[in-house]
Amino acid sequence: MRKLRDSFSRDILDITAFKGDVTVLVERKAVLNVCNYLKDDPSFRMNYLVDVLAVDHMPRSPRFDVIYCLYSIPKKQRIRVKTMVAEGESAPSVTGIWLGADWPEREAYDMFGIVFEGHPDLSRIYLPDDWEGFPLRKDYPLRGYKDRYNPYGEEKE
Amino acid sequence: MIKDNNENDLLATKELTLHLGPQHPSSHGVLHLVIGLQGEMVTSCRPDIGYLHRGTEKIAENLLYHQFVPYTDRLDYMCSSSNNLAYVLAVEKLLDIEVPERAKYIRVIAAELSRIAGHLIGIGAWAVDLGAMSILLYAIREREMVLDIFEKLCGARMTHSYMRVGGVRYDFNNVCREACEELVRVLPARVDEYETILTGNRIWLERNKGVGHIPPELAISMGLSGPALRASGVNWDIRKDEPYLVYDRLAFDVALGENGDCFDRYMVRMVEIRQSLRMVEQCLAEMPDGPINVDIPEIVPPPKQDVYKNMENLIHHFKYVSQGFKVPEGEAYASIEAPKGELGVFIVSDGSERPYRLKIRAPSFMNLQTLGRVVNGLYLADVIAVLSSLDPVFGECDK
């Protein structure tokens, strides 16, 4: 971990270990460099992308966390790379590093509206293309908004 | 939709876009494939999911921790105990509790029985997709034995809700033990029967061998996990590499393939059924007596029969059901080797009784994205074989 911190001293904001899980908080612009480093460096070899997910921390600013869960099959270690993204900002796509980031990034876009820069085909994955709003955001009502298909939804302001 | 083919004039055919599913018998639920065809040859394949989307993660944010267990049942409904396990392990990780020894063994038995049930239906459905009806009937017959054990264990056959944070709901009794012993005795010969019918079958070999080859580098990069990854020769099994519960005490082999084709994915599952039986057998032999829940009253409700007799227990039960329990602030990720691959649950807790954010890393979801990449250049009929070999379940994929 010291090696990682030394290599990216300016970009790494924090490294925490909680319940055995290591989380590296990095600057948004440094995510790709850190991920590339973690994948290629012989002491990490994080060759497997487990998941990409987002967390809405409304009303915090920046509002979202985007978390890249990595795993090293040869070293049997896990690391989470976390970055903070404000509303309207984009997060870097790691599809160029791990092809498997394709769908989870689309899922995060669909549910939270986070745009992943560099994603080859960023489109909604669960919801129809013309769906309004992002359901997993904290300000999206549990029952959705009222329309002709959803009489029990909340009224839109 | 038919359009003129300008790209490749060698083929005297028109390119066709075929919509397969979402109600096609071989679409494993509600998968919609948009397939580009050049004659019988697949030129593109785009899986379109979302027909089932139930908003499981949003629901989780609005439920008490213990109320979410029945929802996990409905993810991969072929093996609901595995889903229960991934979820309760994540909550227990945040709570920093360890379940009693007996509960660990019971959980492993439930998880392995789930794997057997899941693989049986996976192989059976696969065979029927490729035209071999009888295997599905056999697999259902054997799966019934497993479901009978679950019925004896917790009263439910499909959606068990058997595990709870801090342990399991009911004790493992002698009736279950006998049923498990019967299964361990009977099933290997039945699996041999399947192999007699399928493994050497000319049609089965032609349809699966060399079809849908996924090299190990691609498999890792695409985020494949479980039997689909191991069929490509990547030796990664969470039960071995990051053992949870009592897997580090059990002797079992990790099944590996060599070619990463559909046939290897079939063989890996066959071997895994046998290995699961081996593990169940060992757990039956080694399971100690003792409590099946942690001794923390806030997390575990009192036994139901005591609720009717004792006022304190009634209050305790009421508080548990209506208010739940608080989970310390923090973030944790726990994953298990589910029948389809790595099933992980990531929880962000704000210290309240409800998860602030709950993310399910579903293996079917990650595995299915490989399909579009693998089937290019294959025949249309091979798409079905590759799809079945990835064994997606849409409750989980479309969570």
Side-chain angles (χ1 to χ4, degrees), chain A residues 18-19 21 47-48 50-51 54 56-57 71 76 78 82 99-100 103 106-107 121 123 125-126 135-138 140 142, chain B residues 46 49-50 57-58 61-62 93-94 220-221 223-225 236 241-242 331 333 335 342 356-357 359 361 369 397 399:
Chain A
F18 180 71
K19 310 276 181 199
D21 299 352
N47 57 348
Y48 189 82
V50 177
D51 206 357
D56 182 3
H57 284 285
Y71 181 68
K76 310 191 195 314
R78 286 178 193 271
K82 189 199 272 191
L99 295 171
W103 280 24
R106 277 178 68 191
E107 187 187 359
D121 171 31
S123 53
I125 189 160
Y126 288 136
L136 274 177
R137 286 189 176 189
K138 288 288 175 186
Y140 194 94
L142 175 64
Chain B
R46 188 183 158 86
I49 62 171
E57 290 170 4
K58 184 81 171 177
E61 290 173 11
N62 292 278
K93 190 170 178 180
L94 272 171
I220 293 172
S221 181
L224 266 182
S225 54
W236 178 43
D241 295 333
E242 295 171 286
E331 299 175 358
Y333 176 81
S335 61
E342 173 168 2
Y356 183 78
R357 165 91 169 105
K359 172 72 170 65
R361 192 269 185 202
Q369 62 177 337
C397 188
K399 58 188 186 292

Short mmCIF file of all heavy atoms in Angstrom, two decimals, chain A residues 18-19 21 47-48 50-51 54 56-57 71 76 78 82 99-100 103 106-107 121 123 125-126 135-138 140 142, chain B residues 46 49-50 57-58 61-62 93-94 220-221 223-225 236 241-242 331 333 335 342 356-357 359 361 369 397 399:
data_model
loop_
_atom_site.label_atom_id
_atom_site.label_comp_id
_atom_site.label_asym_id
_atom_site.label_seq_id
_atom_site.Cartn_x
_atom_site.Cartn_y
_atom_site.Cartn_z
N PHE A 18 -11.16 -1.36 6.43
CA PHE A 18 -12.30 -1.53 7.33
C PHE A 18 -12.81 -2.95 7.15
O PHE A 18 -13.13 -3.36 6.05
CB PHE A 18 -13.39 -0.49 6.97
CG PHE A 18 -14.62 -0.58 7.82
CD1 PHE A 18 -14.58 -0.19 9.14
CD2 PHE A 18 -15.82 -1.05 7.29
CE1 PHE A 18 -15.73 -0.27 9.93
CE2 PHE A 18 -16.95 -1.13 8.07
CZ PHE A 18 -16.91 -0.74 9.39
N LYS A 19 -12.86 -3.70 8.24
CA LYS A 19 -13.30 -5.11 8.21
C LYS A 19 -12.51 -5.91 7.18
O LYS A 19 -13.06 -6.78 6.49
CB LYS A 19 -14.79 -5.21 7.86
CG LYS A 19 -15.70 -4.33 8.66
CD LYS A 19 -16.08 -4.95 9.96
CE LYS A 19 -17.01 -4.03 10.72
NZ LYS A 19 -17.07 -4.35 12.13
N ASP A 21 -11.37 -4.92 4.37
CA ASP A 21 -11.49 -4.42 3.00
C ASP A 21 -10.66 -3.14 2.85
O ASP A 21 -10.81 -2.23 3.65
CB ASP A 21 -12.94 -4.07 2.65
CG ASP A 21 -13.87 -5.26 2.72
OD1 ASP A 21 -13.36 -6.38 2.89
OD2 ASP A 21 -15.09 -5.07 2.61
N ASN A 47 -6.14 -8.26 -11.78
CA ASN A 47 -6.53 -8.55 -13.17
C ASN A 47 -8.03 -8.74 -13.35
O ASN A 47 -8.50 -8.90 -14.46
CB ASN A 47 -5.79 -9.79 -13.68
CG ASN A 47 -6.04 -11.00 -12.81
OD1 ASN A 47 -6.58 -10.88 -11.71
ND2 ASN A 47 -5.67 -12.16 -13.29
N TYR A 48 -8.78 -8.71 -12.27
CA TYR A 48 -10.20 -9.04 -12.37
C TYR A 48 -11.03 -7.88 -11.83
O TYR A 48 -10.81 -7.42 -10.71
CB TYR A 48 -10.48 -10.31 -11.56
CG TYR A 48 -11.86 -10.87 -11.74
CD1 TYR A 48 -12.16 -11.68 -12.82
CD2 TYR A 48 -12.85 -10.62 -10.81
CE1 TYR A 48 -13.43 -12.20 -12.99
CE2 TYR A 48 -14.12 -11.14 -10.96
CZ TYR A 48 -14.40 -11.93 -12.06
OH TYR A 48 -15.66 -12.46 -12.22
N VAL A 50 -14.39 -6.90 -10.36
CA VAL A 50 -15.55 -7.56 -9.76
C VAL A 50 -16.83 -6.79 -10.08
O VAL A 50 -17.83 -7.37 -10.49
CB VAL A 50 -15.37 -7.69 -8.23
CG1 VAL A 50 -16.59 -8.29 -7.59
CG2 VAL A 50 -14.14 -8.51 -7.92
N ASP A 51 -16.77 -5.48 -9.91
CA ASP A 51 -17.99 -4.70 -10.07
C ASP A 51 -17.66 -3.22 -10.15
O ASP A 51 -16.60 -2.78 -9.69
CB ASP A 51 -18.91 -4.95 -8.85
CG ASP A 51 -20.37 -4.72 -9.19
OD1 ASP A 51 -20.65 -4.32 -10.32
OD2 ASP A 51 -21.22 -4.94 -8.31
N ALA A 54 -22.22 2.63 -7.82
CA ALA A 54 -22.31 4.02 -7.39
C ALA A 54 -23.12 4.11 -6.10
O ALA A 54 -23.95 3.24 -5.82
CB ALA A 54 -22.96 4.86 -8.48
N ASP A 56 -25.25 7.13 -3.81
CA ASP A 56 -25.73 8.50 -3.77
C ASP A 56 -25.67 9.00 -2.33
O ASP A 56 -26.34 8.45 -1.46
CB ASP A 56 -27.18 8.55 -4.30
CG ASP A 56 -27.72 9.96 -4.33
OD1 ASP A 56 -26.96 10.89 -4.01
OD2 ASP A 56 -28.90 10.14 -4.70
N HIS A 57 -24.86 10.03 -2.09
CA HIS A 57 -24.73 10.56 -0.73
C HIS A 57 -25.42 11.91 -0.58
O HIS A 57 -24.96 12.76 0.16
CB HIS A 57 -23.25 10.70 -0.35
CG HIS A 57 -22.60 9.40 -0.02
ND1 HIS A 57 -22.81 8.73 1.15
CD2 HIS A 57 -21.74 8.63 -0.73
CE1 HIS A 57 -22.10 7.62 1.17
NE2 HIS A 57 -21.45 7.52 0.03
N TYR A 71 -10.12 -7.32 -7.99
CA TYR A 71 -9.64 -8.55 -7.35
C TYR A 71 -8.44 -9.07 -8.13
O TYR A 71 -8.37 -8.90 -9.35
CB TYR A 71 -10.74 -9.61 -7.34
CG TYR A 71 -10.35 -10.90 -6.69
CD1 TYR A 71 -10.10 -10.97 -5.32
CD2 TYR A 71 -10.20 -12.07 -7.43
CE1 TYR A 71 -9.74 -12.16 -4.72
CE2 TYR A 71 -9.84 -13.26 -6.83
CZ TYR A 71 -9.61 -13.31 -5.47
OH TYR A 71 -9.24 -14.48 -4.88
N LYS A 76 -4.91 -13.16 -4.83
CA LYS A 76 -6.08 -13.37 -3.97
C LYS A 76 -6.31 -12.21 -3.00
O LYS A 76 -6.47 -12.39 -1.80
CB LYS A 76 -5.96 -14.68 -3.20
CG LYS A 76 -5.61 -15.85 -4.10
CD LYS A 76 -5.74 -17.16 -3.44
CE LYS A 76 -5.05 -18.26 -4.23
NZ LYS A 76 -5.33 -18.26 -5.66
N ARG A 78 -8.26 -8.23 -2.53
CA ARG A 78 -9.28 -7.31 -3.05
C ARG A 78 -8.92 -5.88 -2.70
O ARG A 78 -8.39 -5.61 -1.62
CB ARG A 78 -10.65 -7.64 -2.45
CG ARG A 78 -11.26 -8.88 -3.01
CD ARG A 78 -12.58 -9.22 -2.36
NE ARG A 78 -12.97 -10.57 -2.73
CZ ARG A 78 -13.68 -10.89 -3.80
NH1 ARG A 78 -14.09 -9.95 -4.61
NH2 ARG A 78 -13.97 -12.14 -4.08
N LYS A 82 -12.12 4.09 -5.05
CA LYS A 82 -13.33 4.92 -4.93
C LYS A 82 -13.01 6.34 -5.38
O LYS A 82 -11.92 6.85 -5.12
CB LYS A 82 -13.75 4.93 -3.46
CG LYS A 82 -15.10 5.58 -3.22
CD LYS A 82 -15.26 5.96 -1.78
CE LYS A 82 -15.83 4.87 -0.91
NZ LYS A 82 -16.21 5.36 0.42
N LEU A 99 -12.71 -5.39 -19.95
CA LEU A 99 -13.89 -5.37 -20.83
C LEU A 99 -15.18 -5.54 -20.03
O LEU A 99 -16.22 -5.04 -20.40
CB LEU A 99 -13.78 -6.51 -21.86
CG LEU A 99 -12.63 -6.41 -22.86
CD1 LEU A 99 -12.53 -7.70 -23.64
CD2 LEU A 99 -12.86 -5.24 -23.80
N GLY A 100 -15.07 -6.28 -18.93
CA GLY A 100 -16.25 -6.60 -18.13
C GLY A 100 -16.89 -5.40 -17.46
O GLY A 100 -17.95 -5.52 -16.86
N TRP A 103 -21.17 -3.67 -18.73
CA TRP A 103 -22.53 -3.71 -18.16
C TRP A 103 -22.67 -3.03 -16.80
O TRP A 103 -23.62 -2.28 -16.59
CB TRP A 103 -23.06 -5.16 -18.12
CG TRP A 103 -23.56 -5.61 -19.46
CD1 TRP A 103 -23.19 -5.11 -20.69
CD2 TRP A 103 -24.54 -6.61 -19.72
NE1 TRP A 103 -23.87 -5.77 -21.68
CE2 TRP A 103 -24.69 -6.69 -21.13
CE3 TRP A 103 -25.28 -7.46 -18.91
CZ2 TRP A 103 -25.57 -7.59 -21.73
CZ3 TRP A 103 -26.15 -8.35 -19.51
CH2 TRP A 103 -26.30 -8.43 -20.90
N ARG A 106 -22.95 0.57 -17.37
CA ARG A 106 -24.26 0.93 -17.93
C ARG A 106 -25.33 0.90 -16.83
O ARG A 106 -26.24 1.72 -16.81
CB ARG A 106 -24.65 -0.07 -19.03
CG ARG A 106 -24.03 0.24 -20.37
CD ARG A 106 -24.39 -0.80 -21.39
NE ARG A 106 -25.81 -0.79 -21.74
CZ ARG A 106 -26.41 -1.75 -22.45
NH1 ARG A 106 -25.72 -2.77 -22.89
NH2 ARG A 106 -27.69 -1.68 -22.73
N GLU A 107 -25.18 -0.05 -15.92
CA GLU A 107 -26.14 -0.15 -14.82
C GLU A 107 -26.06 1.10 -13.93
O GLU A 107 -27.09 1.68 -13.56
CB GLU A 107 -25.86 -1.41 -13.99
CG GLU A 107 -26.91 -1.66 -12.93
CD GLU A 107 -26.54 -2.81 -11.99
OE1 GLU A 107 -25.47 -3.43 -12.18
OE2 GLU A 107 -27.31 -3.06 -11.07
N ASP A 121 -20.54 2.18 -25.32
CA ASP A 121 -21.97 2.15 -25.66
C ASP A 121 -22.77 2.43 -24.41
O ASP A 121 -23.41 1.55 -23.83
CB ASP A 121 -22.29 0.75 -26.23
CG ASP A 121 -23.78 0.54 -26.41
OD1 ASP A 121 -24.47 1.53 -26.69
OD2 ASP A 121 -24.24 -0.60 -26.26
N SER A 123 -25.66 3.22 -22.64
CA SER A 123 -27.11 3.36 -22.80
C SER A 123 -27.77 2.70 -21.60
O SER A 123 -27.13 1.96 -20.86
CB SER A 123 -27.57 2.68 -24.09
OG SER A 123 -27.10 1.36 -24.11
N ILE A 125 -29.70 0.12 -19.38
CA ILE A 125 -29.64 -1.35 -19.50
C ILE A 125 -30.91 -2.01 -18.99
O ILE A 125 -31.38 -2.99 -19.57
CB ILE A 125 -28.37 -1.90 -18.81
CG1 ILE A 125 -28.20 -3.38 -19.12
CG2 ILE A 125 -28.39 -1.66 -17.31
CD1 ILE A 125 -26.81 -3.88 -18.90
N TYR A 126 -31.50 -1.48 -17.93
CA TYR A 126 -32.73 -2.09 -17.41
C TYR A 126 -33.96 -1.35 -17.92
O TYR A 126 -34.96 -1.94 -18.29
CB TYR A 126 -32.76 -2.02 -15.88
CG TYR A 126 -31.79 -2.95 -15.18
CD1 TYR A 126 -31.03 -2.52 -14.09
CD2 TYR A 126 -31.66 -4.27 -15.58
CE1 TYR A 126 -30.17 -3.38 -13.43
CE2 TYR A 126 -30.80 -5.12 -14.93
CZ TYR A 126 -30.05 -4.68 -13.87
OH TYR A 126 -29.21 -5.52 -13.22
N PRO A 135 -33.64 5.86 -10.90
CA PRO A 135 -34.38 5.32 -9.75
C PRO A 135 -33.58 5.12 -8.47
O PRO A 135 -34.17 5.17 -7.40
CB PRO A 135 -34.89 3.97 -10.26
CG PRO A 135 -34.90 4.10 -11.72
CD PRO A 135 -33.78 5.01 -12.07
N LEU A 136 -32.29 4.89 -8.54
CA LEU A 136 -31.58 4.62 -7.29
C LEU A 136 -31.05 5.89 -6.62
O LEU A 136 -30.43 5.82 -5.57
CB LEU A 136 -30.44 3.62 -7.51
CG LEU A 136 -30.87 2.15 -7.43
CD1 LEU A 136 -29.70 1.23 -7.71
CD2 LEU A 136 -31.46 1.79 -6.08
N ARG A 137 -31.33 7.03 -7.22
CA ARG A 137 -30.97 8.27 -6.53
C ARG A 137 -31.87 8.44 -5.32
O ARG A 137 -33.03 8.01 -5.32
CB ARG A 137 -31.16 9.46 -7.47
CG ARG A 137 -30.09 9.54 -8.53
CD ARG A 137 -30.20 10.85 -9.27
NE ARG A 137 -29.12 10.98 -10.24
CZ ARG A 137 -28.87 12.08 -10.92
NH1 ARG A 137 -29.62 13.16 -10.74
NH2 ARG A 137 -27.87 12.13 -11.78
N LYS A 138 -31.34 9.08 -4.29
CA LYS A 138 -32.10 9.19 -3.04
C LYS A 138 -33.34 10.09 -3.19
O LYS A 138 -34.27 9.98 -2.40
CB LYS A 138 -31.19 9.71 -1.93
CG LYS A 138 -30.17 8.69 -1.47
CD LYS A 138 -30.81 7.58 -0.66
CE LYS A 138 -29.77 6.52 -0.32
NZ LYS A 138 -30.38 5.37 0.34
N TYR A 140 -35.35 10.04 -5.71
CA TYR A 140 -36.33 9.38 -6.57
C TYR A 140 -37.26 8.57 -5.67
O TYR A 140 -36.78 7.75 -4.87
CB TYR A 140 -35.61 8.47 -7.57
CG TYR A 140 -36.49 8.00 -8.71
CD1 TYR A 140 -36.51 8.68 -9.92
CD2 TYR A 140 -37.28 6.86 -8.58
CE1 TYR A 140 -37.30 8.24 -10.97
CE2 TYR A 140 -38.08 6.43 -9.61
CZ TYR A 140 -38.09 7.11 -10.82
OH TYR A 140 -38.87 6.68 -11.85
N LEU A 142 -39.68 5.87 -3.90
CA LEU A 142 -39.68 4.40 -3.93
C LEU A 142 -40.73 3.87 -4.90
O LEU A 142 -40.50 2.90 -5.62
CB LEU A 142 -39.96 3.87 -2.53
CG LEU A 142 -40.11 2.37 -2.37
CD1 LEU A 142 -38.83 1.65 -2.71
CD2 LEU A 142 -40.52 2.02 -0.95
N ARG B 46 -26.78 -8.68 -29.49
CA ARG B 46 -26.88 -7.72 -28.39
C ARG B 46 -27.96 -8.18 -27.41
O ARG B 46 -29.14 -8.15 -27.74
CB ARG B 46 -27.22 -6.35 -28.96
CG ARG B 46 -27.17 -5.24 -27.94
CD ARG B 46 -27.60 -3.92 -28.56
NE ARG B 46 -28.05 -2.99 -27.55
CZ ARG B 46 -27.24 -2.17 -26.88
NH1 ARG B 46 -25.97 -2.16 -27.15
NH2 ARG B 46 -27.72 -1.36 -25.96
N ILE B 49 -31.73 -6.68 -21.76
CA ILE B 49 -32.38 -7.15 -20.54
C ILE B 49 -33.20 -6.01 -19.94
O ILE B 49 -33.15 -4.90 -20.44
CB ILE B 49 -31.36 -7.69 -19.51
CG1 ILE B 49 -30.40 -6.59 -19.08
CG2 ILE B 49 -30.60 -8.87 -20.09
CD1 ILE B 49 -29.52 -6.99 -17.93
N GLY B 50 -33.93 -6.30 -18.92
CA GLY B 50 -34.68 -5.24 -18.25
C GLY B 50 -36.18 -5.49 -18.19
O GLY B 50 -36.92 -4.70 -17.64
N GLU B 57 -32.62 -3.46 -5.37
CA GLU B 57 -31.71 -2.66 -4.54
C GLU B 57 -32.43 -1.46 -3.92
O GLU B 57 -32.15 -1.08 -2.79
CB GLU B 57 -30.51 -2.21 -5.39
CG GLU B 57 -29.61 -3.38 -5.74
CD GLU B 57 -28.56 -3.04 -6.77
OE1 GLU B 57 -28.47 -1.88 -7.18
OE2 GLU B 57 -27.82 -3.95 -7.17
N LYS B 58 -33.35 -0.89 -4.66
CA LYS B 58 -34.13 0.24 -4.12
C LYS B 58 -35.01 -0.26 -2.97
O LYS B 58 -35.16 0.40 -1.94
CB LYS B 58 -34.99 0.84 -5.23
CG LYS B 58 -35.78 2.06 -4.84
CD LYS B 58 -34.96 3.31 -4.88
CE LYS B 58 -35.78 4.57 -4.69
NZ LYS B 58 -34.92 5.76 -4.67
N GLU B 61 -33.14 -0.69 0.29
CA GLU B 61 -32.85 0.55 1.03
C GLU B 61 -34.03 0.98 1.90
O GLU B 61 -33.88 1.82 2.77
CB GLU B 61 -32.53 1.69 0.05
CG GLU B 61 -31.20 1.50 -0.64
CD GLU B 61 -30.97 2.55 -1.74
OE1 GLU B 61 -31.76 3.51 -1.81
OE2 GLU B 61 -30.03 2.36 -2.52
N ASN B 62 -35.17 0.40 1.63
CA ASN B 62 -36.37 0.80 2.37
C ASN B 62 -36.89 -0.30 3.29
O ASN B 62 -38.01 -0.23 3.75
CB ASN B 62 -37.46 1.23 1.39
CG ASN B 62 -37.08 2.52 0.69
OD1 ASN B 62 -37.27 3.59 1.23
ND2 ASN B 62 -36.49 2.41 -0.49
N LYS B 93 -20.68 -9.32 8.49
CA LYS B 93 -19.36 -8.70 8.41
C LYS B 93 -19.39 -7.30 9.00
O LYS B 93 -18.52 -6.91 9.76
CB LYS B 93 -18.92 -8.65 6.94
CG LYS B 93 -17.48 -8.25 6.73
CD LYS B 93 -17.09 -8.47 5.28
CE LYS B 93 -15.67 -8.04 5.03
NZ LYS B 93 -15.27 -8.24 3.63
N LEU B 94 -20.45 -6.56 8.69
CA LEU B 94 -20.58 -5.21 9.24
C LEU B 94 -20.83 -5.26 10.75
O LEU B 94 -20.35 -4.42 11.51
CB LEU B 94 -21.74 -4.48 8.57
CG LEU B 94 -21.42 -3.71 7.30
CD1 LEU B 94 -22.70 -3.24 6.64
CD2 LEU B 94 -20.52 -2.52 7.58
N ILE B 220 -11.35 -13.68 -17.98
CA ILE B 220 -11.01 -12.86 -16.81
C ILE B 220 -11.38 -11.41 -17.08
O ILE B 220 -11.98 -10.73 -16.25
CB ILE B 220 -9.51 -12.99 -16.48
CG1 ILE B 220 -9.20 -14.40 -16.00
CG2 ILE B 220 -9.08 -11.97 -15.43
CD1 ILE B 220 -7.73 -14.70 -15.82
N SER B 221 -11.03 -10.93 -18.26
CA SER B 221 -11.29 -9.54 -18.59
C SER B 221 -12.79 -9.22 -18.63
O SER B 221 -13.21 -8.13 -18.27
CB SER B 221 -10.64 -9.21 -19.94
OG SER B 221 -10.85 -7.87 -20.27
N GLY B 223 -14.99 -10.50 -16.79
CA GLY B 223 -15.61 -10.63 -15.47
C GLY B 223 -16.41 -11.91 -15.31
O GLY B 223 -17.31 -11.98 -14.47
N LEU B 224 -16.11 -12.93 -16.10
CA LEU B 224 -16.78 -14.23 -15.93
C LEU B 224 -16.40 -14.81 -14.57
O LEU B 224 -15.30 -14.57 -14.07
CB LEU B 224 -16.32 -15.21 -17.00
CG LEU B 224 -17.13 -15.36 -18.28
CD1 LEU B 224 -16.48 -16.43 -19.13
CD2 LEU B 224 -18.56 -15.73 -18.01
N SER B 225 -17.28 -15.58 -14.01
CA SER B 225 -16.94 -16.26 -12.75
C SER B 225 -17.68 -17.58 -12.68
O SER B 225 -18.53 -17.87 -13.52
CB SER B 225 -17.28 -15.37 -11.56
OG SER B 225 -18.62 -14.96 -11.62
N TRP B 236 -9.95 -20.41 -10.08
CA TRP B 236 -10.41 -19.46 -9.07
C TRP B 236 -11.76 -19.90 -8.54
O TRP B 236 -12.74 -19.90 -9.25
CB TRP B 236 -10.50 -18.05 -9.66
CG TRP B 236 -11.00 -17.06 -8.66
CD1 TRP B 236 -10.63 -16.98 -7.35
CD2 TRP B 236 -11.97 -16.03 -8.86
NE1 TRP B 236 -11.32 -15.96 -6.73
CE2 TRP B 236 -12.14 -15.37 -7.63
CE3 TRP B 236 -12.72 -15.61 -9.96
CZ2 TRP B 236 -13.02 -14.31 -7.47
CZ3 TRP B 236 -13.59 -14.56 -9.79
CH2 TRP B 236 -13.73 -13.90 -8.57
N ASP B 241 -10.14 -20.09 -2.37
CA ASP B 241 -9.20 -18.98 -2.32
C ASP B 241 -9.49 -17.97 -1.21
O ASP B 241 -8.59 -17.31 -0.72
CB ASP B 241 -9.17 -18.26 -3.68
CG ASP B 241 -8.61 -19.18 -4.76
OD1 ASP B 241 -7.84 -20.07 -4.39
OD2 ASP B 241 -8.96 -19.02 -5.93
N GLU B 242 -10.74 -17.81 -0.88
CA GLU B 242 -11.09 -16.94 0.25
C GLU B 242 -12.13 -17.68 1.09
O GLU B 242 -13.29 -17.27 1.13
CB GLU B 242 -11.70 -15.62 -0.24
CG GLU B 242 -10.76 -14.76 -1.04
CD GLU B 242 -11.51 -13.61 -1.66
OE1 GLU B 242 -12.25 -13.83 -2.63
OE2 GLU B 242 -11.38 -12.50 -1.17
N GLU B 331 -18.77 0.45 5.35
CA GLU B 331 -19.01 -0.22 4.07
C GLU B 331 -18.35 -1.59 4.10
O GLU B 331 -17.22 -1.71 4.58
CB GLU B 331 -18.37 0.56 2.91
CG GLU B 331 -18.89 1.95 2.72
CD GLU B 331 -18.13 2.71 1.63
OE1 GLU B 331 -17.18 2.14 1.06
OE2 GLU B 331 -18.50 3.85 1.38
N TYR B 333 -18.08 -5.55 1.88
CA TYR B 333 -18.44 -6.39 0.74
C TYR B 333 -18.16 -7.83 1.12
O TYR B 333 -17.08 -8.15 1.62
CB TYR B 333 -17.59 -5.99 -0.48
CG TYR B 333 -17.81 -6.86 -1.70
CD1 TYR B 333 -18.90 -6.64 -2.53
CD2 TYR B 333 -16.93 -7.89 -2.01
CE1 TYR B 333 -19.12 -7.43 -3.64
CE2 TYR B 333 -17.14 -8.69 -3.13
CZ TYR B 333 -18.22 -8.44 -3.95
OH TYR B 333 -18.43 -9.23 -5.05
N SER B 335 -18.61 -11.88 -0.41
CA SER B 335 -19.01 -12.64 -1.60
C SER B 335 -18.86 -14.13 -1.35
O SER B 335 -18.07 -14.56 -0.50
CB SER B 335 -18.16 -12.23 -2.80
OG SER B 335 -16.81 -12.50 -2.55
N GLU B 342 -19.36 -15.65 -8.74
CA GLU B 342 -19.20 -14.81 -7.56
C GLU B 342 -20.46 -13.99 -7.31
O GLU B 342 -20.81 -13.12 -8.09
CB GLU B 342 -18.02 -13.85 -7.73
CG GLU B 342 -17.99 -12.86 -6.57
CD GLU B 342 -16.72 -12.05 -6.46
OE1 GLU B 342 -15.84 -12.20 -7.30
OE2 GLU B 342 -16.63 -11.26 -5.50
N TYR B 356 -28.11 1.79 3.82
CA TYR B 356 -28.16 3.06 3.07
C TYR B 356 -28.07 2.77 1.58
O TYR B 356 -28.74 3.39 0.77
CB TYR B 356 -27.01 3.96 3.53
CG TYR B 356 -27.03 5.31 2.86
CD1 TYR B 356 -27.91 6.30 3.28
CD2 TYR B 356 -26.19 5.59 1.78
CE1 TYR B 356 -27.95 7.54 2.66
CE2 TYR B 356 -26.22 6.82 1.16
CZ TYR B 356 -27.11 7.79 1.60
OH TYR B 356 -27.15 9.01 0.97
N ARG B 357 -27.23 1.82 1.26
CA ARG B 357 -27.11 1.39 -0.15
C ARG B 357 -26.74 -0.08 -0.12
O ARG B 357 -25.89 -0.50 0.68
CB ARG B 357 -26.01 2.18 -0.84
CG ARG B 357 -25.55 1.61 -2.18
CD ARG B 357 -26.34 2.17 -3.33
NE ARG B 357 -25.74 1.82 -4.61
CZ ARG B 357 -26.23 0.88 -5.44
NH1 ARG B 357 -27.29 0.19 -5.10
NH2 ARG B 357 -25.65 0.64 -6.60
N LYS B 359 -25.75 -3.15 -2.85
CA LYS B 359 -25.47 -3.49 -4.24
C LYS B 359 -25.23 -4.99 -4.32
O LYS B 359 -24.44 -5.54 -3.55
CB LYS B 359 -24.23 -2.73 -4.72
CG LYS B 359 -23.73 -3.14 -6.10
CD LYS B 359 -24.67 -2.64 -7.19
CE LYS B 359 -24.16 -2.77 -8.60
NZ LYS B 359 -23.94 -4.08 -9.14
N ARG B 361 -23.81 -7.94 -6.53
CA ARG B 361 -22.97 -8.28 -7.67
C ARG B 361 -23.45 -9.64 -8.16
O ARG B 361 -23.14 -10.68 -7.58
CB ARG B 361 -21.51 -8.35 -7.23
CG ARG B 361 -20.49 -8.40 -8.33
CD ARG B 361 -20.14 -9.80 -8.73
NE ARG B 361 -19.07 -9.78 -9.73
CZ ARG B 361 -18.82 -10.76 -10.56
NH1 ARG B 361 -19.56 -11.84 -10.53
NH2 ARG B 361 -17.86 -10.67 -11.41
N GLN B 369 -22.93 -10.78 -20.20
CA GLN B 369 -22.38 -9.79 -21.13
C GLN B 369 -21.34 -10.40 -22.07
O GLN B 369 -21.01 -9.83 -23.10
CB GLN B 369 -21.81 -8.60 -20.39
CG GLN B 369 -20.67 -8.92 -19.47
CD GLN B 369 -20.10 -7.66 -18.81
OE1 GLN B 369 -20.24 -6.58 -19.33
NE2 GLN B 369 -19.46 -7.82 -17.67
N CYS B 397 -30.13 -11.66 -12.94
CA CYS B 397 -29.54 -10.81 -13.96
C CYS B 397 -30.29 -9.48 -14.02
O CYS B 397 -29.69 -8.41 -14.12
CB CYS B 397 -29.65 -11.55 -15.28
SG CYS B 397 -28.80 -10.76 -16.60
N LYS B 399 -32.11 -8.06 -11.71
CA LYS B 399 -32.56 -7.91 -10.32
C LYS B 399 -33.37 -6.64 -10.05
O LYS B 399 -33.12 -5.62 -10.53
CB LYS B 399 -31.38 -7.95 -9.38
CG LYS B 399 -30.33 -6.89 -9.67
CD LYS B 399 -29.12 -7.12 -8.83
CE LYS B 399 -28.14 -6.00 -9.01
NZ LYS B 399 -27.52 -5.90 -10.32
#
